[in-house]
Amino acid sequence: MQLTFLGTSAGRPTKTRNVTSIAFCLPEPHCGFWLFDTGEGTQHRLLHGGLKLNKLERIFITHLHGDHLYGLPGLLSSRTYFEGAGPLQIFGPAGLKEYLNVIFQHSGVHLGYELEVIEVSAGEVAADDRFVVEAAELDHRLPCFGYRITERPQQGQLNLGRLAELGVRPGPLYGKLKRGESITLEDGRTISSSHVVGPQLPGRIVTILGDTTPCQNAIVLAKDADLLVHEATFAGGMEEKAAAYGHSTIRQAAEIAAEAGVKRLVVTHFSSRFDDEAVAELVKDARTIFPYTDAAFDYAEFQVKRST
């Protein structure tokens, strides 16, 4: 499970940072990915990042400000030309469906795949056999959501050495054991799954917040997360300016991470006033509050490690 940052600038792009988009790359054996926000130019970032639109399964939009949204229509249109592009779900605030309908109507776009747009409210917004996604509203100038992705617990690993000792060859029997079933060998021996499969693996939690001032819902969504993505538009000491624009300082992001008990904080959405050297200084400041803080940059990849 990995996050790849496709854009990390706030408001407008810079020469080194595009506007907001994050790819959530699903764990093996799955080869798909989800997108969180689609600022202008996101499809170009995908091309350079090696992610193909026919592997895109879901898009989550935090809010309808342009630096999080303007890349969506072009991306959806281009996806038609990728062979094997299946159904796609888009989640986001009220108004997203109308926004896309108007653009498609007046630009004559015809998509070659099924598109479902779901306008979200607080609570569970998506679930499948691997993940549950919950949303809650944050504190910004427009309705804005944060998303909490919870991986369901996974079956333990097969003990391949023990299976070899027992004479169980690789094949369908491995799958049965992995699913918790017992098997009977040709010589009549019965092997229980519990004897050759390790303990259940805990699920991982990733929280990706949209633009926000510090608020209780940010803490609720981030509680005990393995990785939290939080905006850091302004430097510490600029709290009044941050509040006026509905944003956070990097120190406030670190305080949220500490209060929520997360394992790792990745900050993004930096004002264009900060170059890479300045961002490095911001991170040093944030680490005095929450030591496990890192700054995202375009094309940065962060692995989400499983708790032990």
Side-chain angles (χ1 to χ4, degrees), residues 65-242:
H65 273 150
D67 59 320
H68 295 254
L69 181 67
Y70 285 168
L72 183 58
L75 183 152
L76 295 178
S77 178
S78 294
R79 190 173 183 267
T80 292
Y81 300 98
F82 281 75
E83 184 177 352
L88 178 66
Q89 292 180 314
I90 305 179
F91 302 83
L96 178 59
K97 188 177 297 186
E98 180 184 6
Y99 169 80
L100 289 174
N101 285 342
V102 168
I103 289 176
F104 290 161
Q105 176 186 348
H106 290 285
S107 62
V109 170
H110 297 283
L111 302 181
Y113 54 89
E114 179 184 347
L115 179 67
E116 182 182 11
V117 181
I118 301 113
E119 294 186 337
V120 304
S121 55
E124 183 179 305
V125 298
D128 55 31
D129 60 355
R130 192 71 189 260
F131 295 98
V132 176
V133 183
E134 300 166 279
E137 191 163 353
L138 303 172
D139 186 4
H140 192 47
R141 290 173 292 153
L142 287 181
C144 182
F145 287 89
Y147 296 98
R148 177 182 175 93
I149 308 105
T150 302
E151 181 185 33
R152 299 185 191 275
Q154 302 297 302
Q155 291 289 340
Q157 299 295 318
L158 287 170
N159 186 331
L160 300 181
R162 180 59 177 155
L163 287 168
E165 292 174 0
L166 294 169
V168 183
R169 297 180 179 180
L173 295 180
Y174 275 25
K176 289 185 175 182
L177 290 166
K178 187 77 171 175
R179 292 191 296 271
E181 303 173 21
S182 296
I183 63 170
T184 300
L185 303 180
E186 293 180 357
D187 59 11
R189 287 180 296 150
T190 297
I191 298 176
S192 171
S193 172
S194 61
H195 292 157
V196 293
V197 178
Q200 190 178 63
L201 301 174
R204 290 161 283 188
I205 299 172
V206 175
T207 299
I208 299 175
L209 302 181
D211 293 359
T212 187
T213 58
C215 64
Q216 187 60 34
N217 276 349
I219 298 169
V220 171
L221 287 172
K223 184 67 176 175
D224 297 328
D226 294 282
L227 190 150
L228 165 64
V229 178
H230 197 297
E231 68 130 293
T233 309
F234 294 103
M238 301 178 71
E239 285 75 18
E240 185 174 341
K241 188 176 186 68

